[in-house]
Amino acid sequence: MIAELGLAMLWIAAALACLSLIAGALFLRSGKAELAAVIRPAAVAMGALTSLSFLFLIWLFVRSDMSVELVARNSNSLKPMIFKIAGTWGNHEGSMLLWLAILCLSGALVAIFEKRLREDTLIATLTAQAALSLGFFAFLLFSSNPFNRLPVAPPDGQGLNPLLQDIGLAFHPPTLYVGYVGLSVAFSFAVGALITREVGPAFARAMRPWVLGSWIFLTLGITAGSYWAYYELGWGGWWFWDPVENVSLVPWLAGAALLHSVSVTATRNALRAWTVMLAVIGFSMSMVGTFIVRSGLLTSVHSFAVDPQRGAFLLVLMAIYIGGALTLFALRAGAVAEGKKFALMSREGSLVINNLLLTTILALVLLGTLYPIVAEAMGEKISVGPPYYNRVAGPIALVLCVVMVMGPLLNWRRDDGKKLWGRLPLGILAGAVILFGLVLFGGSVGILPLLGMTVAAFVAVLSLAPLWGRNLRRTPLPTWGMVVAHFGVAICLAGMGAETAFIKEKLVAASPGDVVKVGQYRVEFAGVSPVAGPNYTALKARLVAVTPSGERYVMYPESRMFPGLMGTSPTETNEAALLTRPGGQLYAVLGVPVPSADGAPDRYQLRLWWKPLVWWIWLGGGLIALGGFLSLVGRAQFLTVWRARRARKAEERFA
Amino acid sequence: MKAKHQRLILAALAVVGVAGAGVLGASALRDEAAYFRTPAEVKGGAAVTGEAMRLGGMVQAGSIKRLPDGVTIRFVATDGKADLPVEFTGIVPDLFAEESGMVADGRMRADGVFVADRILAKHDERYMPPQMGDMPEGAGKAAPKA
């Protein structure tokens, strides 16, 4: 009954999307206000219906209703509750429903809260959002129905892939999806403003919180995903340039460019074409990401079921939306192009350069990701790996970071560069100290990590420069946000550089009692013992790590065995053990036992890494997100209203 | 006049940037892209010794052997048409097993053994590297469900 109700809600919501699209199109043609009246309530209803439908799906997973095909294929009654819930989106159909629910919910939020925009632009925006959701409704209902019933319910389900049975699954996909889909609102705003020719500050101010919000979620999602892959896969890497990582990075890059250019449009009414273009690119890249992940086009750890029909469906959808938006952009180019003028040496100028660099990285990452598909179509099977990305994205990203901290030291419109030249030397000094220190004492460090750490020092010092000589209590929150985010980039960069340059690795087959040295750490292997988890059995190793200063810490890496459920084969996973120290992390993985031939005790594979400053990478990611959050809060409507009211009251008291 | 100049400079910068990025991307792709090959293609002479490439195949049943150092394994990758010995030092991924699909990054050694730096295994029951889709039935039991 629950499944049927959930499905019915989806159909009703799809019908509402259809209605909104027609009513919106007619309104924009004829201007009859009564046609527009239906659109806001419809958007709210769609948001409510799809969210409820998604909650119903979670409910089915919680109850382990095995008569539903999706539950039977992806869940099991013995699974811990948190993974039953998270398992709802650990598969193709469920994750697409989550995607759609967020899309409709965003539309509902726009319909409820957006009051500043001209009414016809808002209606056009909501119509565009309805058009987007209609396509994805069709996709969900016709090719990936999550509520399908099985003719005969099996006694129990096949369970969730053990690699996904981790707390990371509960947070990583929903966070990324909110980020991806939040960009749909920016896309719809851009389309709406293009239709009514209202590309200007009002439109940019309406769009900005959505861009900032989704970018924060993307930042958090990517950071969390990177950490998840780092400890769950047991490979010890934090970024693999996997196609799916790339397709999450690409919208993030577009979002970063967009949030800077939308600020320029909001405050200066310049860079209007850039803002519209980037808004279109941002969500287009989200769709490309979904397409690549869901179609199974590329070899990746994220691919669920491979299904060419679904891929073709998504490809058609994408072509319609992206093509439509770009056509509209071309038709309305005249209404968009002419913005306020500015000199090259100005804050706008530096932001344009940064946007160019960001989009260049975006294009090169996309090229590397899609090239194998193109090559395969021409009969060659090719894979593009980290060497390509490091070579193309690394140097440009470093230049980008240098320009990034110079922009805030310039004035809007025109600048004589006095402030910049005054503060630049300190940054250069910081960079030079690190550079010489590393060259003299660092041993053989690769050129990219060397430059990375140098630029990190430069950026760290100069990112704080906008605060120098200011009253810190009176500095507006968005300025704090910018400083924190830029400082976070420096921390992240320093972590990447230090980890790459000074990582130590040991791979051994050790018997209990053996001592392994990795970096400055001594690790004593005390032995292994069997343990039983809720739905797995495991071998647990006991390692005693001795720090350079003589402190002792115990680490427990595990090798887990999940039994095959309902005809699937058993799987093993490695649970890494991490020891976080101020200087970095010690990372331990337990491999398989190695039987000895001549009666000697069994040995076990152990892989140990010492990773200097590695946790700075995620700390930096967190700071970047925090910076975004501060600027979002600092510009929030209610806060401005509250401040104005307080100021008025204070005035009244003095009057 | 001044504004026009500015815009010209910006446009020129953009053109130079895009062209530079294109050249950078193309040359990096030429140098760094690795070919994906099956054991049959390698046996057919497609691989140059020492050149980075990616090998895809099934792990042959009963072929995984451990060397005395305890951390190096040898196994045979097969695509049903040809077999290729593979050597790998490290901890194999969680889902690596005999009779299932794997993809390895590495290079051919002069003695005809493929030395893998990294091994990727199939991710779940329904997933297999798409490049292996055209392999004959029976090469491994983990064929994708349609």
Side-chain angles (χ1 to χ4, degrees):
Chain A
M1 194 53 208
I2 297 173
E4 284 69 31
L5 215 54
L7 188 60
M9 284 176 168
L10 285 183
W11 276 105
I12 297 172
L16 283 174
C18 210
L19 176 70
S20 303
L21 183 58
I22 295 168
L26 287 177
F27 164 76
L28 292 168
R29 200 155 255 278
S30 67
K32 282 187 186 133
E34 58 270 26
L35 279 168
V38 71
I39 290 191
R40 272 191 201 235
V44 176
M46 275 159 60
L49 284 169
T50 45
S51 310
L52 262 178
S53 170
F54 182 66
L55 288 178
F56 279 14
L57 188 63
I58 294 182
W59 183 237
L60 289 171
F61 269 82
V62 167
R63 286 193 0 176
S64 295
D65 186 340
M66 295 306 163
S67 69
V68 176
E69 189 188 353
L70 192 68
V71 182
R73 270 199 286 113
N74 295 290
S75 195
N76 184 276
S77 57
L78 296 176
K79 213 164 51 166
M81 181 52 74
I82 176 83
F83 298 134
K84 281 187 190 168
I85 297 174
T88 313
W89 53 84
N91 56 74
H92 169 78
E93 289 84 355
S95 65
M96 285 315 295
L97 179 55
L98 173 62
W99 160 282
L100 190 58
I102 300 173
L103 187 74
C104 292
L105 210 54
S106 318
L109 289 176
V110 173
I112 296 171
F113 291 111
E114 186 47 56
K115 303 252 155 69
R116 289 170 293 186
L117 210 56
R118 231 168 59 195
E119 187 67 13
D120 58 339
T121 309
L122 180 66
I123 296 301
T125 302
L126 288 175
T127 307
Q129 191 77 3
L132 282 180
S133 54
L134 191 59
F136 286 96
F137 272 120
F139 178 63
L140 198 71
L141 291 170
F142 294 131
S143 87
S144 353
N145 177 7
F147 293 108
N148 248 352
R149 291 273 191 189
L150 286 171
V152 183
D156 209 339
Q158 296 179 340
L160 178 69
N161 181 341
L163 266 184
L164 297 178
Q165 294 197 20
D166 184 272
I167 194 71
L169 179 66
F171 301 107
H172 168 62
T175 315
L176 264 183
Y177 274 21
V178 170
Y180 275 161
V181 182
L183 285 176
S184 73
V185 179
F187 180 94
S188 296
F189 270 127
V191 170
L194 279 176
I195 290 175
T196 60
R197 295 190 169 82
E198 200 210 346
V199 181
F203 137 83
R205 273 195 286 274
M207 188 206 261
R208 179 157 61 184
W210 287 95
V211 176
L212 207 48
S214 22
W215 186 76
I216 295 167
F217 275 100
L218 279 178
T219 311
L220 286 175
I222 293 173
T223 309
S226 157
Y227 192 69
W228 187 21
Y230 170 75
Y231 78 78
E232 180 68 21
L233 290 178
W235 298 343
W238 36 267
W239 191 262
F240 300 98
W241 293 108
D242 177 274
V244 175
E245 289 175 327
N246 294 349
V247 297
S248 71
L249 182 67
V250 163
W252 184 88
L253 290 167
L258 176 57
L259 80 91
H260 289 95
S261 107
V262 82
S263 283
V264 177
T265 311
T267 41
R268 295 277 316 138
N269 196 13
L271 300 192
R272 301 199 305 210
W274 261 111
T275 301
V276 170
M277 196 63 196
L278 284 170
V280 170
I281 290 178
F283 185 60
S284 303
M285 290 302 130
S286 296
M287 285 194 285
V288 170
T290 314
F291 168 64
I292 287 178
V293 178
R294 291 290 154 262
S295 66
L297 253 184
L298 290 167
T299 308
S300 153
V301 293
H302 288 72
S303 309
F304 298 128
V306 178
D307 185 343
Q309 186 208 337
R310 284 175 182 162
F313 202 134
L314 278 172
L315 194 63
V316 170
L317 274 186
M318 244 164 55
I320 293 173
Y321 293 140
I322 302 175
L326 290 179
T327 312
L328 188 63
F329 182 75
L331 290 176
R332 291 284 198 268
V336 178
E338 200 61 28
K340 280 267 172 55
K341 299 200 176 51
F342 54 86
L344 185 59
M345 183 79 166
S346 67
R347 191 173 294 185
E348 291 99 317
S350 77
L351 285 171
V352 168
I353 294 175
N354 254 0
N355 273 359
L356 275 173
L357 292 172
L358 277 168
T359 32
T360 308
I361 299 178
L362 185 156
L364 289 171
V365 172
L366 197 65
L367 175 70
T369 312
L370 298 181
Y371 186 67
I373 301 176
V374 179
E376 177 148 17
M378 298 189 301
E380 279 195 290
K381 289 174 179 176
I382 276 176
S383 78
V384 177
Y388 165 79
Y389 295 103
N390 291 341
R391 183 166 142 187
V392 299
I396 305 179
L398 291 180
V399 177
L400 174 70
C401 290
V402 170
V403 182
M404 173 187 84
V405 283
M406 287 160 66
L409 300 175
L410 295 170
N411 283 322
W412 293 113
R413 256 182 76 216
R414 183 181 301 130
D415 195 284
D416 54 6
K418 223 170 167 182
K419 201 160 151 196
L420 178 64
W421 304 135
R423 299 183 179 185
L424 208 51
L426 209 64
I428 293 175
L429 182 71
V433 168
I434 293 291
L435 182 64
F436 282 114
L438 287 172
V439 168
L440 291 179
F441 307 108
S444 62
V445 178
I447 182 78
L448 202 58
L450 182 72
L451 289 178
M453 285 182 277
T454 305
V455 170
F458 173 85
V459 170
V461 170
L462 284 187
S463 63
L464 302 177
L467 294 179
W468 298 352
R470 279 186 94 137
N471 180 337
L472 292 187
R473 284 198 51 200
R474 284 192 155 175
T475 305
L477 220 43
T479 307
W480 275 107
M482 174 191 76
V483 169
V484 169
H486 288 177
F487 187 70
V489 171
I491 295 295
C492 191
L493 196 56
M496 292 174 179
E499 199 265 357
T500 313
F502 303 118
I503 185 169
K504 296 278 190 299
E505 183 184 356
K506 260 296 170 43
L507 174 67
V508 292
S511 317
D514 283 359
V515 173
V516 189
K517 289 194 84 169
V518 53
Q520 301 204 308
Y521 281 69
R522 288 179 65 240
V523 179
E524 299 163 17
F525 177 37
V528 296
S529 52
V531 289
N535 55 347
Y536 60 85
T537 55
L539 271 183
K540 188 173 181 178
R542 194 182 138 90
L543 304 176
V544 181
V546 185
T547 67
S549 55
E551 291 159 285
R552 297 166 72 85
Y553 294 91
V554 187
M555 301 170 76
Y556 297 105
E558 280 181 34
S559 171
R560 291 184 183 167
M561 175 69 85
F562 290 79
L565 296 167
M566 306 304 289
T568 63
S569 46
T571 18
E572 268 176 68
T573 70
N574 291 318
E575 291 293 304
L578 295 172
L579 173 65
T580 307
R581 303 287 303 151
Q585 267 181 337
L586 194 63
Y587 187 115
V589 178
L590 174 68
V592 292
V594 186
S596 300
D598 43 359
D602 280 0
R603 292 180 298 166
Y604 292 87
Q605 290 184 343
L606 275 182
R607 187 165 214 168
L608 298 163
W609 280 281
W610 169 245
K611 296 169 163 287
L613 301 193
V614 67
W615 53 268
W616 285 28
I617 297 171
W618 306 292
L619 174 69
L623 283 175
I624 296 171
L626 175 68
F629 181 71
L630 289 178
S631 358
L632 186 65
V633 170
R635 292 216 175 81
Q637 247 173 326
F638 68 89
L639 215 68
T640 334
V641 173
W642 176 72
R643 263 204 216 111
R645 199 175 294 156
R646 203 174 59 163
R648 211 166 42 237
K649 272 197 187 138
E651 263 171 38
E652 280 164 11
R653 222 173 300 146
F654 283 113
Chain B
M1 184 62 193
K2 188 113 197 301
K4 212 173 231 171
H5 261 125
Q6 296 283 6
R7 202 167 302 164
L8 263 176
I9 294 173
L10 267 183
L13 267 179
V15 168
V16 169
V18 168
V23 170
L24 185 69
S27 80
L29 268 183
R30 203 175 45 229
D31 297 351
E32 316 283 7
Y35 283 90
F36 179 95
R37 298 195 178 97
T38 59
E41 287 166 348
V42 174
K43 281 283 159 91
V48 181
T49 302
E51 172 210 46
M53 61 165 270
R54 179 171 266 206
L55 177 76
M58 289 290 182
V59 182
Q60 202 169 63
S63 73
I64 300 182
K65 299 261 176 345
R66 198 163 296 284
L67 300 193
D69 71 350
V71 290
T72 305
I73 57 163
R74 279 214 180 155
F75 61 90
V76 174
T78 178
D79 56 0
K81 291 174 233 154
D83 300 340
L84 189 70
V86 181
E87 191 175 300
F88 173 67
T89 302
I91 293 179
V92 293
D94 299 331
L95 302 173
F96 177 82
E98 287 180 354
E99 291 187 49
S100 44
M102 70 92 216
V103 171
D105 289 325
R107 39 188 57 75
M108 288 302 297
R109 205 164 56 190
D111 63 356
V113 175
F114 182 80
V115 181
D117 311 321
R118 193 163 79 122
I119 288 186
L120 309 164
K122 74 185 181 71
H123 189 48
D124 76 15
E125 288 301 308
R126 280 149 282 160
Y127 170 67
M128 196 164 61
Q131 289 100 330
M132 292 165 58
D134 43 352
M135 276 186 351
E137 281 291 317
K141 64 176 184 184
K145 288 177 199 166

